[in-house]
Amino acid sequence: MLSNDCIFCKIIKGEIPSTKVYEDDKMLVFKDIEPKARVHLLAVAKTHFKLLEEANAEGRGLVDYMLFKIPEIARQNGCENGYRLIINQGADAGQTVFHLHIHILGGKELPW
């Protein structure tokens, strides 16, 4: 189920434009509008939940699915030599959109 007041839900519904690089019935991947690396993609679950701890069995399966698909998507978008995945959980971790999403960063060597 999608939320009416979540920016990522609005992107999923097509109400807000994005530069999509992958989409299926479970997830949407699009370019971050404020990239922190040469390649900075956001993989967004098509089910709205804010944090990993809120995921029920279906949500946990969705996260597994997303992690399974990301390597192919990363390679197809310029991350042949590696990439970093980030899942911010809560305000203290820097999460600004409270809808589960995975940052995919790469395209060049990343500093730690």
Side-chain angles (χ1 to χ4, degrees):
M1 181 176 200
L2 296 175
S3 169
N4 289 328
D5 59 351
C6 168
I7 190 167
F8 286 169
C9 289
K10 290 178 180 182
I11 290 171
I12 291 166
K13 292 187 277 188
E15 296 172 2
I16 296 175
S18 67
T19 304
K20 298 177 186 178
V21 299
Y22 178 82
E23 183 173 18
D24 64 25
D25 62 325
K26 295 176 175 55
M27 66 189 277
L28 172 65
V29 182
F30 55 93
K31 293 183 179 182
D32 193 300
I33 61 171
E34 294 181 10
K36 306 299 185 219
R38 184 176 296 149
V39 175
H40 188 167
L41 307 174
L42 298 174
V44 179
K46 283 194 170 180
T47 298
H48 181 85
F49 53 97
K50 297 176 186 179
L51 303 166
L52 288 169
E53 64 197 41
E54 294 180 358
N56 58 17
E58 179 185 345
R60 288 189 298 274
L62 179 55
V63 172
D64 287 346
Y65 175 81
M66 292 171 70
L67 291 172
F68 174 77
K69 293 296 288 183
I70 283 173
E72 173 188 348
I73 296 163
R75 276 191 308 279
Q76 291 173 348
N77 286 277
C79 298
E80 299 86 4
N81 294 321
Y83 53 92
R84 182 175 296 158
L85 300 180
I86 300 171
I87 305 174
N88 295 318
Q89 294 289 282
D92 285 354
Q95 186 176 10
T96 57
V97 178
F98 286 86
H99 179 124
L100 181 80
H101 59 286
I102 303 170
H103 295 261
I104 306 165
L105 301 153
K108 64 177 184 175
E109 188 173 340
L110 299 171
W112 186 248

